[in-house]
Each structure stands twice: as structure tokens, then as C-alpha cells.
């Protein structure tokens, strides 16, 4: 027994227009919903989906839920560039290890809903491999110590 996450709902002023943005971000088609638009990866009935609905009570403060996205290919920098091209805005950059460009970028969609993009798994594993091959890191630490710090530091900034 247990629960499975299926949908993340975001209230917004224009579900179809915001749906176009998120469709571009997730590279997934927009589908109809009963009171909004639905964005899900095609062919995978068990994956998470995004559901955008019109604001139900505009006098209520916005929910502070953030989506955390991880690049499947490429890099954090490439995704930030692509998403700003779609209309996202960079709010904050957080670094796990700035000298290795590993971190998280907090962004906002065109309606101000915040979301996070983190370094890809490939980027993290490349840094760990590089550190394991180096005898010393930029701060004089041993490769083994730096490798452990990458894992600890990076997992510490997730959510």
C-alpha cells in the first residue's frame, strides 16, 4: 500500500498561455482537462503530469510549491539559456560547488511561479570522476575528500 504522485497542479490566470510555456519547457504536448490544461509525457501513463487551472480565489496568496527539474541531457547552463528564451526569469543561483559549476538555479515562469533547475546527473558524475582522477582539488583537498564533499554538498541543496 502507499501513494503514487501523479499530478502537480498550478493555479494561474491563463492556463492555455502558461501551458504553452510549460509545454516548451517539458517538451510535452498540451492536452485538455476538465477545468484547465494537462501536460504529460506521451505514452507513459505512470509519469508525473502538470495540470494548470484558472485561479480559484485571486485574493488568496499563491502556493509556495516549486517544481524541481533535472536536465536529461546537456547542462544546467544550457537549460537555463533555453528556458530564459521561452520566457522564464532567473531569480537566484545557488552553488553546491561554484568552482565546478554545480548547483541549482531558481527561476520563475511568465506568471511568477517559481521552479528550480539543478545540475544534470551527467555534470555531477563528471565532476566526481574528475576529482577522483586529480590528486588535489582547487582548495588543496585530496580527491577523495572533494568527491565526498561534492556528493554531500550537492545533496544538501536539493529541495
Amino acid at each position: 500500500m502507499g501513494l503514487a504522485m501523479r499530478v502537480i497542479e498550478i493555479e494561474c490566470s491563463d492556463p492555455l498561455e502558461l501551458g504553452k510555456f510549460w509545454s516548451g519547457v517539458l517538451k510535452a504536448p498540451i492536452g485538455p482537462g476538465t477545468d484547465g490544461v494537462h501536460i504529460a509525457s506521451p505514452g507513459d501513463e505512470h509519469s508525473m503530469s502538470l495540470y494548470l487551472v484558472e485561479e480559484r480565489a485571486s485574493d488568496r496568496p499563491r502556493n509556495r510549491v516549486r517544481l524541481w527539474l533535472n536536465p536529461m541531457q546537456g547542462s544546467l547552463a544550457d537549460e537555463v539559456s533555453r528556458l530564459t528564451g521561452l520566457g522564464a526569469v532567473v531569480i537566484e543561483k545557488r552553488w553546491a560547488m561554484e568552482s565546478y559549476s554545480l548547483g541549482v538555479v531558481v527561476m520563475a515562469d511568465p506568471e511568477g511561479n517559481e521552479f528550480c533547475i539543478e545540475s544534470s546527473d551527467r555534470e555531477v558524475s563528471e565532476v566526481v570522476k574528475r576529482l577522483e582522477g586529480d590528486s588535489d582539488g582547487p582548495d588543496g583537498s585530496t580527491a577523495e575528500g572533494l568527491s565526498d564533499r561534492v556528493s554531500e554538498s550537492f545533496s544538501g541543496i536539493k529541495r
Side-chain angles (χ1 to χ4, degrees), residues 95-100 102 124 127-128 131-132 136-157:
W95 299 106
M97 292 190 76
E98 189 169 5
S99 59
Y100 292 100
L102 293 180
V124 173
V127 168
V128 169
L131 292 174
E132 289 172 346
D136 292 317
D139 61 358
S141 301
T142 64
E144 183 178 297
L146 279 171
S147 178
D148 291 342
R149 280 190 20 228
V150 167
S151 298
E152 290 170 15
S153 296
F154 197 72
S155 65
I157 62 171

Side-chain angles (χ1 to χ4, degrees), residues 69-84 90 92-97 100-107 116-124 154 157:
L69 306 172
N70 182 265
M72 305 263 307
Q73 300 172 10
S75 68
L76 173 62
D78 292 342
E79 279 303 306
V80 169
S81 177
R82 183 177 79 83
L83 299 179
T84 54
V90 173
E92 176 185 3
K93 294 180 181 179
R94 300 179 190 160
W95 299 106
M97 292 190 76
Y100 292 100
S101 298
L102 293 180
V104 172
V105 176
V106 180
M107 303 185 80
C116 300
I117 305 291
E118 59 188 348
S119 296
S120 69
D121 292 344
R122 178 190 54 79
E123 289 176 296
V124 173
F154 197 72
I157 62 171

Side-chain angles (χ1 to χ4, degrees), residues 1-108:
M1 193 161 193
L3 299 173
M5 292 190 295
R6 297 281 186 242
V7 176
I8 296 172
E9 180 183 274
I10 297 177
E11 291 185 16
C12 55
S13 59
D14 189 343
L16 183 56
E17 199 57 38
L18 193 58
K20 291 175 187 175
F21 170 81
W22 282 106
S23 175
V25 168
L26 300 173
K27 297 183 179 179
I30 298 173
T34 54
D35 60 348
V37 297
H38 188 257
I39 302 169
S41 299
D44 188 359
E45 64 189 61
H46 298 294
S47 70
M48 291 285 295
S49 63
L50 188 59
Y51 193 60
L52 305 170
V53 298
E54 195 164 333
E55 286 177 309
R56 295 183 175 102
S58 59
D59 58 335
R60 260 190 352 221
R62 284 206 176 206
N63 192 346
R64 299 295 300 170
V65 174
R66 286 186 180 154
L67 299 176
W68 279 71
L69 306 172
N70 182 265
M72 305 263 307
Q73 300 172 10
S75 68
L76 173 62
D78 292 342
E79 279 303 306
V80 169
S81 177
R82 183 177 79 83
L83 299 179
T84 54
L86 290 171
V89 176
V90 173
I91 304 292
E92 176 185 3
K93 294 180 181 179
R94 300 179 190 160
W95 299 106
M97 292 190 76
E98 189 169 5
S99 59
Y100 292 100
S101 298
L102 293 180
V104 172
V105 176
V106 180
M107 303 185 80

